[in-house]
Amino acid sequence: RAVLSREKDLQGCRILVTAGPTVEAIDPVRVITNPSSGKMGYALARAAVERGAEVTLVSGPVSLPPVEGIELIRIESTNDLLEAVSHRFSDTDVLIAAAAPSDFRPAERLSNKWKKQNGIPEIKFIPNPDVLATMGQQKTNQILIGFAAETEGNPEEARRKLEQKRLDMLVHNNILLPGVGFQSDTNEVTLYHAHGQVETLPKASKNEIAQIILDRVAALWHARKE
Ligand code: CTP
Ligand code: CA
């Protein structure tokens, strides 16, 4: 089947996509964030709506144009992400967690700017909720797709995340390889399926990778509907 003529195989499927970084405030002028560009998540949202899905995109701050024909919810912190996702989860068929949420946040947000004359601040961090693992615990019939940007390609770690978060599929990439992850327009990923299959995909544009991920999503969703 030609890539550019996939039919509306996701008609009626309610897909919630998370994308981009999160931002955790230290004080009114300083934040903790990461270099996620949102490109993979936005490519997924765009491809899903083209294939007939009802798409909600929960996005951290990114500099990408909004996707037409979808609901866009903007968030900043990992707690905001959890709130937005939990609110819609019961009306979702597929959650695709492409966001890069911060695992930690400063224990307190200073209400005034930290001044140099106070010396170097000692920032205490506390854990953020794991949005995807929380949804994994709460899922009824939802399909869950996770992402893992790693600095090594460790299959055991991929399997651990797949099981711990109760995912149907984990999209794994090694961001230290050239043309992979974060700001890049291309990606090179390995798909780990819950039932044990592993698919290594050739390096391709994020748009093409999005289509392949949605092929797998469509197959899972159609199987579940029967
Ligand atoms: N994720 C999430 N909430 C978090 C952290 C991660 O929902 N607080 C999701 C990501 O969107 C991604 C998946 O979990 O789909 C895996 O993220 P990753 O950072 O690779 O895994 P962690 O469990 O956070 O483990 P670590 O960062 O220690 O590798
Ligand atoms: Ca993490």
Side-chain angles (χ1 to χ4, degrees):
R1 187 161 70 178
V3 168
L4 294 175
S5 65
R6 283 182 176 91
E7 67 262 32
K8 306 256 177 205
D9 59 352
L10 290 168
Q11 194 84 54
C13 184
R14 298 164 300 175
I15 303 189
L16 183 56
V17 180
T18 74
T22 58
V23 178
E24 308 287 346
I26 296 169
D27 72 9
V29 300
R30 297 182 181 91
V31 300
I32 305 284
T33 187
N34 65 66
S36 170
S37 61
K39 285 176 183 168
M40 194 64 242
Y42 276 59
L44 282 156
R46 222 179 300 120
V49 78
E50 276 166 21
R51 289 165 70 157
E54 262 174 54
V55 180
T56 300
L57 176 60
V58 183
S59 174
V62 297
S63 53
L64 297 171
V67 179
E68 283 191 24
I70 65 158
E71 182 192 9
L72 175 64
I73 299 163
R74 295 177 199 274
I75 56 96
E76 298 233 321
S77 66
T78 297
N79 269 324
D80 296 343
L81 180 70
L82 177 64
E83 194 188 315
V85 170
S86 347
H87 187 67
R88 280 159 192 84
F89 192 61
S90 60
D91 296 322
T92 294
D93 298 308
V94 182
L95 170 62
I96 305 181
S102 176
D103 297 323
F104 318 105
R105 69 176 182 276
E108 54 168 349
R109 178 187 191 279
L110 303 176
S111 45
N112 293 309
K113 179 182 167 185
W114 180 271
K115 299 296 289 180
K116 264 188 304 197
Q117 67 189 24
N118 297 340
I120 296 170
E122 283 192 7
I123 302 167
K124 184 177 183 283
F125 286 96
I126 56 173
N128 267 331
D130 187 319
V131 178
L132 188 53
T134 307
M135 297 307 111
Q137 289 306 314
Q138 292 178 13
K139 74 175 178 182
T140 49
N141 203 31
Q142 291 90 344
I143 291 161
L144 261 49
I145 312 294
F147 280 73
E150 306 276 10
T151 49
E152 59 191 333
N154 180 348
E156 285 85 65
E157 179 63 358
R159 287 262 153 239
R160 188 187 67 75
K161 286 183 185 176
L162 191 68
E163 281 160 31
Q164 189 242 330
K165 297 175 201 261
R166 304 181 67 200
L167 308 178
D168 295 279
M169 185 173 85
L170 180 80
V171 182
H172 183 275
N173 65 14
N174 179 347
I175 56 162
L176 297 184
L177 296 175
V180 175
F182 286 152
Q183 310 286 325
S184 180
D185 286 319
T186 54
N187 206 350
E188 187 176 340
V189 305
T190 302
L191 306 180
Y192 288 84
H193 296 264
H195 296 301
Q197 313 94 295
V198 180
E199 294 182 80
T200 303
L201 305 184
K203 190 195 279 187
S205 71
K206 286 185 174 174
N207 290 328
E208 179 50 22
I209 301 229
Q211 298 288 6
I212 297 168
I213 291 170
L214 292 178
D215 289 346
R216 304 300 175 269
V217 164
L220 287 163
W221 180 61
H222 286 286
R224 201 156 292 196
K225 276 200 307 177
E226 323 262 89

